[in-house]
Amino acid sequence: MSEPGQELLHLVWGKKAGPRGLADTIFCRWAQDSLTIFCCIVRETKTYLIFKGFVFSDSESTALEQFEGGPCAVIAPVQGIENIKNEIEDATEPLIDPVYGHGSQSLINLLLTGHAVSNVWDGDRECSGMKLLGIHKQATVGFLTLMESLRYCKVGSYLKSPKFPIWILGSETHLTVFFAKDMVLVAPEAPSEQARRVFQTYDPEDNGFIPDTLLEDVMKALDLVSDPEYVNLMKTKLDPEGLGIILLGPFLQEFFPEQDSRVSESFTVYHYNGLKQSNYNEKVMYVEGTAVVMGFEEPMLQTDDTPVKRCLQTKWPYIELLWTTDRSPSLN
């Protein structure tokens, strides 16, 4: 194997020799019980990661079936091995966990966006003098994670609001797919959504507020009037108690009041889980349902409280789901 190919294998799998190497059982799981071949092809400046070998479900002609986890079929163009190493926060850690075999967030981001950054927020952030890389543009396919509902992270709008209504859903151990046909779900962001995203870039710890000294920067970033006198007037109005902070809610209400959501009240959705044991009657099929997005905190319709629903609520806080099957689809 060529040197770049060998280097790429080490980057993905880790070096098998040594206590931190990838166990044979983990490699076989990702290799689909030896039915899958992991290939590295280096052509000029582009490298392609190819996981080949899969079967289609007998119950759904276009649904891929997984064996014990691992990939079904992935082709990911990568702009050079060195770029991957520069994007990963800890380049010594392989893209696939050598103990449990889970794909890292860097691997997920690499497959979704072509960049192996380790974080899911919008843009880059500074932390104690260290630059932490995030997502820099709207993804074609989105990503939502149960970890956000547990407050371990916060996914930015570039992954939450992709170009197409398709989202990868992440649990602690598995990835599934949630999608719809209604393109209204991914319409260009409203001014209030843009304002929320910009405000949160100045609130990296997700406190829900910023120091009042940053108000002028936020207003400039949103092309709002930012004359010093007007900014001081807004500081007084948005922070009447003089606490030195600007809350997100009052800021949005002041500059972007009562903007209607562009999301349909209800829409048909589908969920896909490639593991047989996670499907009803162990038949890998798309599960169809109806999503109802209520616009207020006390929805009259309340369905079950499942991991899939909690994951989706990180994007649609008041979503309710009515599935056509007797059992709600599994996130694991």
Side-chain angles (χ1 to χ4, degrees):
M1 179 179 294
S2 65
E3 183 176 346
Q6 188 67 41
E7 189 176 4
L8 182 57
L9 278 176
H10 290 166
L11 178 66
V12 175
W13 300 108
K15 296 182 179 179
K16 297 192 68 175
R20 295 179 60 81
L22 189 72
D24 290 341
T25 54
I26 300 300
F27 183 88
C28 290
R29 175 148 67 93
W30 276 78
Q32 303 288 18
D33 294 333
S34 301
L35 292 176
T36 306
I37 304 172
F38 174 74
C39 304
C40 299
I41 302 177
V42 180
R43 294 178 180 173
E44 298 178 355
T45 61
K46 283 191 177 181
T47 301
Y48 293 82
L49 305 184
I50 305 180
F51 298 92
K52 299 176 60 178
F54 54 85
V55 297
F56 286 102
S57 169
D58 293 334
S59 305
E60 192 80 62
S61 61
T62 60
L64 302 178
E65 189 172 307
Q66 292 176 264
F67 306 99
E68 302 296 332
C72 276
V74 174
I75 301 179
V78 181
Q79 299 297 329
I81 297 175
E82 286 303 317
N83 286 341
I84 299 178
K85 290 183 176 181
N86 291 335
E87 290 170 342
I88 299 174
E89 286 184 6
D90 185 356
T92 63
E93 294 294 325
L95 293 175
I96 297 174
D97 185 272
V99 178
Y100 300 104
H102 302 157
S104 67
Q105 188 62 51
S106 294
L107 178 60
I108 295 171
N109 289 344
L110 176 63
L111 300 179
L112 289 177
T113 70
H115 297 281
V117 296
S118 303
N119 304 295
V120 293
W121 54 60
D122 293 338
D124 301 334
R125 296 184 179 182
E126 294 284 342
C127 181
S128 301
M130 181 183 301
K131 187 176 183 180
L132 304 178
L133 304 180
I135 308 300
H136 280 264
K137 65 179 181 178
Q138 183 185 30
T140 302
V141 174
F143 177 75
L144 304 173
T145 173
L146 186 65
M147 295 297 99
E148 181 171 349
S149 70
L150 300 174
R151 301 188 66 82
Y152 284 110
C153 67
K154 187 172 181 63
V155 179
S157 61
Y158 287 144
L159 286 175
K160 278 187 178 176
S161 302
K163 295 179 182 178
F164 295 95
I166 307 170
W167 290 266
I168 302 300
L169 305 185
S171 70
E172 303 92 335
T173 60
H174 189 44
L175 298 173
T176 59
V177 182
F178 177 85
F179 63 99
K181 299 178 181 179
D182 192 345
M183 291 297 293
V184 174
L185 298 177
V186 290
E189 62 181 358
S192 60
E193 295 169 339
Q194 180 192 17
R196 180 185 296 272
R197 174 172 56 80
V198 171
F199 189 99
Q200 289 175 336
T201 62
Y202 291 87
D203 176 24
E205 297 182 359
D206 195 28
N207 293 316
F209 63 84
I210 59 172
D212 61 0
T213 55
L214 295 178
L215 179 60
E216 182 177 352
D217 294 335
V218 173
M219 294 174 68
K220 285 181 178 178
L222 292 170
D223 291 328
L224 299 172
V225 177
S226 55
D227 294 335
E229 292 183 2
Y230 182 69
V231 172
N232 289 332
L233 177 65
M234 286 297 100
K235 286 181 182 180
T236 302
K237 185 174 183 179
L238 296 174
D239 181 23
E241 298 180 0
L243 300 177
I245 61 174
I246 305 296
L247 297 174
L248 173 60
F251 175 83
L252 294 177
Q253 187 61 36
E254 174 66 28
F255 294 106
F256 306 92
E258 300 180 358
Q259 290 196 355
D260 295 332
S261 172
R262 304 183 186 186
V263 177
S264 306
E265 292 183 357
S266 66
F267 45 92
T268 301
V269 297
Y270 304 87
H271 183 264
Y272 159 76
N273 189 327
L275 297 176
K276 289 181 64 175
Q277 63 269 28
S278 299
N279 283 266
Y280 183 64
N281 289 334
E282 294 194 349
K283 294 182 178 180
V284 176
M285 300 178 65
Y286 303 126
V287 180
E288 182 178 336
T290 299
V292 180
V293 178
M294 317 301 287
F296 43 90
E297 295 186 1
E298 299 292 338
M300 299 189 62
L301 171 66
Q302 291 188 351
T303 56
D304 53 12
D305 181 27
T306 62
V308 169
K309 178 180 171 182
R310 292 199 299 273
C311 188
L312 296 175
Q313 283 176 330
T314 63
K315 177 173 174 61
W316 299 285
Y318 310 123
I319 193 172
E320 299 293 339
L321 299 161
L322 301 171
W323 299 103
T324 56
T325 54
D326 295 334
R327 189 180 76 178
S328 296
S330 173
L331 200 61
N332 290 301

